[in-house]
Amino acid sequence: MGTRKSQLARIQTDSVAEKLKELYADLQLEIVAMSTIGDKILDTALSKIGEKSLFTKELENALERNEVDLVVHSLKDLPTSLPPGFTIGAVLERENPHDAVVLHPKNAGLTLDSLPEKSVIGTSSLRRAAQLKKRFPQLEFENIRGNLNTRLKKLDEKEDFAAIILAAAGLKRMGWESRISQVLGPEDCMYAVGQGALAIEVRARDRDILEMVSILHHPDTVLRCIAERAFLKQLEGGCSVPVAVYTEVKDSVLYLTGAVYSLDGADCLKDTMQTNIELDNKVSESTEEHVNVAITANNISVTALSAAEKLGLDLANLLLTKGAKDILTTARQLNDAR
C-alpha cells in the first residue's frame, strides 16, 4: 500500500489496512510511505503551483512501476481524470465533509462572527477564502500551507492568525476534535468535491485487487462523490478555481448543490438539482468496468451510477449557461497574475 508520509495520511492508510485485514484474514500488507510535490513545496499556495496531481503523482508512479498495488488518498486530492490505466477501486464511507474553524488559543470561545474586525484567517484554499470573504467581509484571509501539524503549530506559536480553516474530517481522524471551535454549515461555506472521503486507487487491469477493495465501497458516498466529480470535471475546475459543492441522499433522492465563485466571493453562481437513485440492484453484467469520473464500482447499480453522473453534468451545464465559465476564467487569470 502506498501513502504520503504525513501523519494524517498514515492514519488514513492504517485505517484502510485494518479494514482489509478484518475482511481478508490471510492478507499480508506492507505500507510504503513517500513524499509528493505538494508535500515538498510549502512556500507557495496550492493554487499557484499549477500541477494537477500535487499529492498523487509520486504515488501513481510507484503504482505504475508495480512497487505498490494500491494507494490510499483523500479523494479531494485526486483529479477528476486519472492517468491511463488507473482507477479508483473503492470510496469509503464519508467522514464529516464540512470545514472547521480552529481558533488561536487567545480567541477561545469566539466564532468567525464574533472575532475582532480585521482578524486574519489562514486558509490554503481559494474555495474557502472566496465563500468566507463574502460571508464575513470584516475579516481578512491569508494563505497558510503545510500539513495539519504544521498549520496548527503556525497558528498556536505565532500571532499571525486569529484562526485557521481546516477540514473537519482530518481533525477528527487525527484525534484533534477538541480543537474545532465551529463547524461551517453549507450556508457559510460549502465543501470541496470529495472532501471527507477516502479513496483507494489501483491499476485498472488488476481484477483481483479491484475485486478485493470494491467491498469497501460505501454506496451513498460513491453516488454523492460521482455527482460532485462529474460537476467539477464538466466545469473544468481544479484547485486553481473556487468551486464548491453540497450533497445529500434522502429517501432514494440525491441532491446536489454546486457553486462557482470569483476570488473575492462577490460573483457567485449557485443552484441545486436532484435525481432519483433508487438502487435497482442491476449491477454491471459485462466484463467492461462501469467507470464514472475515474471511479469503478461494479457492485453498485448501473442506473444509480449513471443518474449520479448525469446530475453532476446537468448542474454544471446549467451554471455554464448562466455564465460560470466567465467567472472561472477570470478567477484563474487573477490567480495566475498574483
Side-chain angles (χ1 to χ4, degrees):
M1 294 176 77
T3 178
R4 289 166 60 197
K5 279 184 175 172
S6 77
Q7 188 184 352
L8 176 59
R10 288 305 304 260
I11 287 171
Q12 292 177 167
T13 303
D14 289 345
S15 74
V16 174
E18 280 168 29
K19 284 184 171 69
L20 287 171
K21 283 176 182 169
E22 282 169 20
L23 292 163
Y24 305 101
D26 298 336
L27 190 64
Q28 288 186 306
L29 285 172
E30 179 192 346
I31 294 173
V32 180
M34 53 195 86
S35 294
T36 64
I37 302 168
D39 296 312
K40 292 169 185 167
I41 304 175
L42 295 176
D43 56 352
T44 308
L46 293 176
S47 57
K48 298 286 286 177
I49 300 173
E51 166 66 64
K52 270 192 176 175
S53 36
L54 281 177
F55 296 109
T56 60
K57 187 178 258 183
E58 285 76 6
L59 295 161
E60 286 171 340
N61 289 345
L63 200 56
E64 190 169 30
R65 293 192 297 263
N66 294 318
E67 293 167 4
V68 297
D69 299 297
L70 51 150
V71 177
V72 178
H73 302 280
S74 294
L75 181 57
K76 73 172 181 179
D77 290 338
L78 276 171
T80 50
S81 297
L82 297 183
F86 297 140
T87 189
I88 296 165
V91 179
L92 285 73
E93 185 170 4
R94 196 172 209 165
E95 185 53 78
N96 181 343
H98 295 283
D99 290 315
V101 179
V102 180
L103 293 166
H104 189 286
K106 71 179 180 190
N107 295 317
L110 299 180
T111 63
L112 291 184
D113 264 322
S114 59
L115 279 170
E117 204 165 313
K118 302 276 188 203
S119 290
V120 177
I121 313 299
T123 173
S124 58
S125 158
L126 296 181
R127 170 191 58 81
R128 289 172 182 151
Q131 292 180 84
L132 295 173
K133 280 174 186 173
K134 185 174 187 176
R135 173 70 181 79
F136 303 98
Q138 75 280 16
L139 302 176
E140 295 182 356
F141 295 86
E142 287 188 12
N143 189 58
I144 184 170
R145 282 289 321 281
N147 60 35
L148 277 186
N149 313 55
T150 308
R151 279 181 273 175
L152 278 175
K153 200 171 178 201
K154 284 179 182 174
L155 172 70
D156 292 343
E157 294 181 2
K158 296 181 177 179
E159 298 287 322
D160 297 358
F161 301 101
I164 57 176
I165 313 293
L166 301 167
L171 289 162
K172 185 173 180 185
R173 290 183 184 127
M174 292 286 277
W176 293 340
E177 268 183 293
S178 61
R179 289 304 308 267
I180 296 176
S181 310
Q182 181 182 1
V183 174
L184 298 169
E187 65 286 348
D188 287 331
C189 191
M190 295 201 303
Y191 41 80
V193 166
Q195 186 160 309
L198 297 182
I200 303 176
E201 186 179 13
V202 299
R203 291 179 291 268
R205 67 175 185 274
D206 284 352
R207 296 284 168 191
D208 292 351
I209 301 273
L210 247 175
E211 196 174 325
M212 178 184 82
V213 300
S214 69
I215 198 167
L216 296 177
H217 267 313
H218 182 255
D220 277 8
T221 303
V222 172
L223 295 170
R224 289 170 65 189
C225 290
I226 279 176
E228 292 171 17
R229 285 170 67 81
F231 173 72
L232 182 68
K233 187 174 186 176
Q234 189 70 358
L235 289 173
E236 297 179 9
C239 65
S240 61
V241 289
V243 174
V245 293
Y246 173 72
T247 49
E248 55 182 339
V249 175
K250 279 196 292 200
D251 303 324
S252 298
V253 177
L254 171 61
Y255 298 86
L256 169 65
T257 301
V260 300
Y261 301 87
S262 58
L263 291 189
D264 61 2
D267 290 332
C268 165
L269 281 173
K270 179 177 172 182
D271 221 314
T272 303
M273 293 177 86
Q274 66 196 65
T275 189
N276 192 306
I277 49 151
E278 204 152 357
L279 299 179
D280 57 11
N281 297 323
K282 189 180 130 195
V283 296
S284 182
E285 291 170 15
S286 68
T287 52
E288 289 289 307
E289 63 255 78
H290 190 88
V291 182
N292 296 64
V293 285
I295 296 174
T296 301
N298 293 337
N299 53 346
I300 295 175
S301 151
V302 176
T303 314
L305 292 170
S306 300
E309 183 172 36
K310 184 175 184 301
L311 178 66
L313 295 173
D314 288 350
L315 183 59
N317 286 331
L318 176 65
L319 294 190
L320 287 167
T321 63
K322 293 181 175 181
K325 196 168 186 68
D326 290 342
I327 292 177
L328 293 176
T329 301
T330 303
R332 200 176 269 119
Q333 288 168 346
L334 285 173
N335 183 56
D336 290 346
R338 280 178 172 180

